[in-house]
Amino acid sequence: MTRPTHGTLHHVELWVPDLDRAVASLGRLLEALGYVLFQSWDGGRSWRLGPTYLVIEQSPALTAERHDRRRPGLNHLAFHVEDAAAVEKLTADATQHGWHLMFPERHPYAGGAQHYAAYLENDDGFEVELVAIKAPERRP
C-alpha cells in the first residue's frame, strides 16, 4: 500500500440491519470494483482498495431497520468505473444480487447528458452510483 495523500478518505462505516444481506449485495459489488476483504468479525466486514476501506457492520445500537438516504446523513456512495461497458456489466450483475436500478427510464444519463452512470439501491435502502471514467458521447 502506498502512503495516503493528506486529506484523502480513510474509511466509511455503514451500519446495516442485516449483515448477511449486506455482504451479499454490497460486499459482492465492492469485490467486483476491486476491493479486497480486509477484516472480518462476528458483526461486520471491511473491504480495502488502496489506503481506503469500507466497513459494513450490524450494530446492536441501530435505531431503524432500513437506511433512508433522504434523511440527514449519507445519501449515497459513488464509485469510478472504467467505462460504459463496465458500468453496464456491474449493473447487470448487481441487479441479480440485491440491487435495483433507480431511474430506469433515464438510465444511463439520469445524472445529465455528459454523466454516464448507474444509480442502484439495495434492499436496505443504500444507494451507490457507478460513474464511467471514460463516458461515450450521448447521441440524441
Side-chain angles (χ1 to χ4, degrees), residues 97-137:
H97 296 94
W99 294 94
H100 313 280
L101 183 63
M102 302 171 70
F103 324 113
E105 69 285 354
R106 296 185 295 167
H107 174 76
Y109 294 102
Q114 304 304 313
H115 189 73
Y116 194 102
Y119 296 84
L120 302 165
E121 184 177 32
N122 74 3
D123 291 335
D124 292 320
F126 290 98
E127 179 186 345
V128 297
E129 180 181 350
L130 305 174
V131 183
I133 296 168
K134 294 184 277 184
E137 277 196 38

Side-chain angles (χ1 to χ4, degrees), residues 48-129:
R48 174 174 247 152
L49 181 61
T52 303
Y53 63 98
L54 195 139
V55 177
I56 56 174
E57 182 176 358
Q58 185 175 345
S59 172
L62 277 175
T63 60
E65 289 297 313
R66 191 171 197 284
H67 176 71
D68 185 346
R69 63 185 177 79
R70 292 165 293 209
R71 297 192 63 154
L74 178 75
N75 179 267
H76 70 281
L77 298 171
F79 297 95
H80 291 288
V81 175
E82 187 59 36
D83 55 25
V87 168
E88 297 308 324
K89 182 178 182 211
L90 288 164
T91 299
D93 184 68
T95 59
Q96 299 299 309
H97 296 94
W99 294 94
H100 313 280
L101 183 63
M102 302 171 70
F103 324 113
E105 69 285 354
R106 296 185 295 167
H107 174 76
Y109 294 102
Q114 304 304 313
H115 189 73
Y116 194 102
Y119 296 84
L120 302 165
E121 184 177 32
N122 74 3
D123 291 335
D124 292 320
F126 290 98
E127 179 186 345
V128 297
E129 180 181 350

Side-chain angles (χ1 to χ4, degrees), residues 13-70:
E13 183 169 330
L14 302 175
W15 282 11
V16 298
D18 185 298
L19 181 60
D20 291 336
R21 192 167 54 228
V23 168
S25 65
L26 191 53
R28 181 181 177 93
L29 180 60
L30 290 171
E31 290 173 8
L33 289 167
Y35 285 74
V36 176
L37 186 63
F38 175 53
Q39 299 166 313
S40 182
W41 63 99
D42 286 342
R45 306 282 183 281
S46 71
W47 287 263
R48 174 174 247 152
L49 181 61
T52 303
Y53 63 98
L54 195 139
V55 177
I56 56 174
E57 182 176 358
Q58 185 175 345
S59 172
L62 277 175
T63 60
E65 289 297 313
R66 191 171 197 284
H67 176 71
D68 185 346
R69 63 185 177 79
R70 292 165 293 209

